[in-house]
Amino acid sequence: TRDQRWEMRVTALGDGRRIVHLIDRTGSYASERIRVDFVANASHELRTPLASLLGYVETLEDGASEDPGIRKRFLKIMHDEARRMQRLIDDLISLSRIEAEKYRAPDNPVAMDELIDEVCLELSGAPRAADVVTEIAETEPVRGDASQLSQLLHNVIGNAMKYGREGTPILVSLTPEGESMVRLTVTDQGEGIAPEHLPRLTERFYRVDSGRSRTLGGTGLGLAIVKHIVERHRGRFDIASTVGKGSTVTVLLPVHRLS
Ligand code: ADP
């Protein structure tokens, strides 16, 4: 096919015959393309707020700073743009750290119920904070890295707040899944996601509606980070959604057992 990449190597046998080796390099070409796209996307995402910041600085230097009303308005916009760059850089650093550690499985016992309470408390001050209803069954601690699991909860519950319908609660549940896993679900009553987008949501910078994501302070990296954290924890991730009704994110994580 068009996306298939082959490398050809020829070995001469000395008697006039040759062996032709065809090596399938499709995988490494694809990952190289993903890497190149990622660098291009990240640079573009950083360049936009930076250009806007520079534009405002120059306008202020050209005399706009004389007017206290304009100065105040411009400084607020500049602050927001700088914050946006900061969020993006923080997410880029998280992603590269998690990726760097991907072959080292985390090994601490983490009580998910306590972590859920902590994250909900932290998010209660967020701009689109919503009521969170928790249904927590007794579960064993998971085998993990508490700070990464906290980030996972932040991103998933944060998305439910960002994309949920205002005034509706978010349901967070924690239950045992068989003998060896714990099941976490986060359900919102937002606009939902059309089925064609679902398989791509964990790609870096993939957004259903970029304008909306940016207005809500999204970087487009939240679910890519979640996917990497789940993989590092040898867990599973799934997102199910009905347009007009809402979405449910499910994460399965292995429990920690001292043997
Ligand atoms: P972002 O920073 O844009 O929120 P994410 O990686 O967290 O990036 O999510 C990717 C995209 O998936 C979002 O831009 C949004 O379009 C969609 N999405 C994520 N969670 C939800 C949700 N709970 N309801 C509806 N859409 C969602």
Side-chain angles (χ1 to χ4, degrees), residues 87-255:
R87 274 197 302 273
L88 188 59
I89 290 168
D90 286 347
D91 275 359
L92 288 168
I93 292 173
S94 295
L95 204 51
S96 70
R97 277 205 190 125
I98 299 160
E99 269 192 302
E101 290 175 329
K102 91 175 155 192
Y103 298 111
R104 205 155 38 86
D107 196 25
N108 290 321
V110 181
M112 287 301 283
D113 51 347
E114 289 168 19
L115 218 50
I116 291 171
D117 283 346
E118 260 174 53
V119 170
C120 287
L121 190 65
E122 282 159 19
L123 282 172
S124 62
R128 282 177 60 94
D131 283 341
V132 179
V133 178
T134 51
E135 280 177 10
I136 311 285
E138 202 170 310
T139 54
E140 286 187 55
V142 308
R143 176 187 291 279
D145 172 320
S147 102
Q148 288 185 359
L149 291 172
S150 162
Q151 187 168 17
L152 177 150
L153 290 169
H154 252 275
N155 292 0
V156 174
I157 302 174
N159 275 354
M161 290 182 176
K162 284 194 296 195
Y163 304 107
R165 192 151 38 88
E166 267 182 304
T168 59
I170 288 154
L171 177 68
V172 177
S173 90
L174 186 73
T175 49
E177 172 80 6
E179 291 283 287
S180 56
M181 304 277 249
V182 162
R183 169 188 290 258
L184 164 83
T185 67
V186 177
T187 304
D188 66 65
Q189 298 175 32
E191 69 225 56
I193 305 157
E196 65 269 25
H197 296 293
L198 291 177
R200 301 199 58 190
L201 294 181
T202 55
E203 288 175 23
R204 297 150 175 193
F205 296 118
Y206 189 86
R207 296 147 155 141
V208 176
D209 177 345
S210 328
R212 185 159 154 67
S213 153
R214 288 205 180 89
T215 317
L216 296 169
T219 60
L221 294 175
L223 289 181
I225 292 174
V226 167
K227 179 185 160 216
H228 278 91
I229 295 176
V230 171
E231 280 174 1
R232 184 169 176 237
H233 282 76
R234 314 290 187 258
R236 269 183 277 155
F237 170 86
D238 177 60
I239 178 159
S241 190
T242 311
V243 173
K245 285 190 86 177
S247 313
T248 296
V249 170
T250 303
V251 175
L252 300 183
L253 294 166
V255 301

Side-chain angles (χ1 to χ4, degrees), residues 53-78:
L53 253 177
L54 285 173
Y56 282 102
V57 169
E58 281 159 19
T59 320
L60 284 173
E61 278 174 350
D62 287 347
S65 57
E66 315 276 302
D67 179 327
I70 293 184
R71 191 172 62 223
K72 195 166 171 219
R73 198 156 57 82
F74 279 18
L75 284 173
K76 159 91 176 70
I77 299 173
M78 289 162 69

